[in-house]
Amino acid sequence: MKKHLCFHFRSFWLFSLLLLLNLNATEAAAARSIFETTEIAASYLVQAQNADGGWPLIAGGESDVEVTALVMQALMFQGWGTGSSVIRRGVLYLIKHQKQDGSWNANTAHTIFILMALAKAGTDAEAQYKGLNWIKEVQNDDGSWGRSMHQPGNPLYTGAVLAGLRRLKFKQNFSPIPKAAGWLEKRINLDGGWSMARGAKSEILVTSWVLQGLALVYDIDTQLAWLKQMQNEDGGFGRRKNEPSDPEITAYAILALVAGGDPLNADKVAIGYLRSVQQEDGSFVSATPIELESSKANLQTTSFVLWAIYARKAEEGLQ
């Protein structure tokens, strides 16, 4: 009998200790300053760089050009100089993997993200020129972009490319931009958002990228109002209204809010959510990357969180 009671007492004590440790970890994350949040996130990213100069989606995995571009920009936002060996090695990895046609993986999103990274690093003008020409060549006649050449227009890819051109400081008179914006304008759903498939329920993920692009051409105050209605009580955003908040989707929403000049500072509340869910090693957990079947700590999500935290500062550079 005593042995049985002792077992339950020990189990209760262990459970209580684990619960306390979990609460303390959550409280510690919430108490971190923005500086601490960004420092440990950047440290997590730097430590995950592979010997070939690239970065993987999951620490320890194979390097990926898209993730490498996202990480490089996150680190440069955080203050890593373009002359650092970390950034230089990343640039060399990206240049090595550019295709003959100027693209990376023949993928519009990958290519525009890499062009952004190279531009921010201020390097390899020839590679940028070839990549931009490829982006122009694969734009559909209706103004949209698909995942690759000759693929049907996709709001997510079109929004991402348009957002990238905006970050590359192209103006709305650059010929691909008004065509793309016009196509996206026609694809808006009745509820005020956008979805991957016409007529489907609007998604925060898709809408956030579309709004980042459209901010280059239109006043998007009405659409920002739709986005803010999707914000959860914890300050984060899920894929749709009332779905659990996700760090990567929240980061996308912050980027859209800042791009549209949201006067209510809903992005600051969302950043509070991000700080509260950061892991002890500096990473962020999400299942948003399409390669993942379940939520995992990954470099793509962690990078986008840093993008979001530095969004206002980055926006000042676009004015």
Side-chain angles (χ1 to χ4, degrees):
M1 184 67 175
K2 288 182 179 179
K3 186 176 182 181
H4 185 66
L5 284 173
C6 182
F7 173 80
H8 277 282
F9 176 77
R10 188 182 298 114
S11 298
F12 175 76
W13 181 83
L14 287 171
F15 173 78
S16 300
L17 178 61
L18 289 171
L19 180 61
L20 180 62
L21 288 172
N22 184 59
L23 289 173
N24 286 342
T26 302
E27 290 171 358
R32 289 187 189 121
S33 67
I34 285 290
F35 175 79
E36 292 169 326
T37 297
T38 57
E39 282 289 303
I40 63 172
S43 177
Y44 169 79
L45 295 175
V46 170
Q47 292 175 27
Q49 188 174 26
N50 287 332
D52 62 6
W55 278 270
L57 177 61
I58 303 293
E62 294 184 3
S63 295
D64 177 272
V65 291
E66 181 185 28
V67 176
T68 297
L70 300 177
V71 172
M72 285 174 58
Q73 290 177 83
L75 291 177
M76 287 186 282
F77 284 138
Q78 203 269 339
W80 283 75
T82 56
S84 70
S85 63
V86 169
I87 300 300
R88 289 201 310 271
R89 289 169 59 213
V91 168
L92 291 174
Y93 171 81
L94 292 178
I95 297 303
K96 179 180 178 180
H97 288 82
Q98 186 175 27
K99 289 184 172 296
Q100 192 66 34
D101 62 9
S103 75
W104 281 266
N105 294 336
N107 183 302
T108 52
H110 294 185
T111 299
I112 197 68
F113 286 140
I114 292 166
L115 291 177
M116 291 160 60
L118 294 178
K120 191 162 184 63
T123 187
D124 290 277
E126 182 179 352
Q128 293 182 54
Y129 178 78
K130 289 173 61 179
L132 183 61
N133 273 344
W134 184 83
I135 286 289
K136 292 171 64 177
E137 288 171 3
V138 301
Q139 186 177 26
N140 293 324
D141 290 340
D142 61 8
S144 67
W145 278 279
R147 181 180 182 278
S148 188
M149 184 178 287
H150 305 311
Q151 291 197 343
N154 181 304
L156 179 59
Y157 283 93
T158 303
V161 173
L162 199 55
L165 293 175
R166 179 175 179 271
R167 283 180 174 264
L168 289 170
K169 298 185 179 182
F170 284 96
K171 302 303 180 184
Q172 62 184 60
N173 60 356
F174 180 53
S175 58
I177 290 174
K179 292 172 60 179
W183 184 83
L184 287 170
E185 184 183 17
K186 296 174 184 176
R187 292 290 300 246
I188 190 170
N189 291 331
L190 293 176
D191 65 2
W194 280 263
S195 54
M196 293 285 280
R198 185 184 291 274
K201 189 175 181 180
S202 295
E203 299 179 47
I204 294 168
L205 184 156
V206 179
T207 301
S208 295
W209 279 107
V210 169
L211 292 182
Q212 289 179 65
L214 289 183
L216 179 57
V217 179
Y218 300 125
D219 182 323
I220 59 172
D221 285 351
T222 301
Q223 287 69 43
L224 285 183
W226 177 89
L227 183 60
K228 286 183 285 188
Q229 291 174 10
M230 303 297 111
Q231 192 167 21
N232 291 328
E233 291 185 3
D234 62 7
F237 292 81
R239 186 170 288 271
R240 296 184 179 86
K241 177 69 172 177
N242 295 325
E243 292 190 11
S245 295
D246 176 272
E248 186 162 331
I249 294 175
T250 299
Y252 297 160
I254 290 171
L255 292 171
L257 291 166
V258 173
D262 173 39
L264 298 180
N265 298 327
D267 60 294
K268 293 184 178 180
V269 177
I271 288 174
Y273 157 77
L274 291 176
R275 291 168 59 195
S276 74
V277 297
Q278 187 177 30
Q279 304 300 297
E280 285 300 304
D281 63 359
S283 67
F284 288 84
V285 173
S286 174
T288 298
I290 59 175
E291 298 87 351
L292 299 182
E293 295 180 358
S294 60
S295 294
K296 293 182 180 179
N298 70 86
L299 279 75
Q300 175 175 306
T301 300
T302 304
S303 296
F304 275 124
V305 168
L306 281 177
W307 283 36
I309 291 175
Y310 286 106
R312 285 182 174 270
K313 184 176 181 180
E315 194 65 26
E316 291 173 3
L318 299 178
Q319 304 304 319

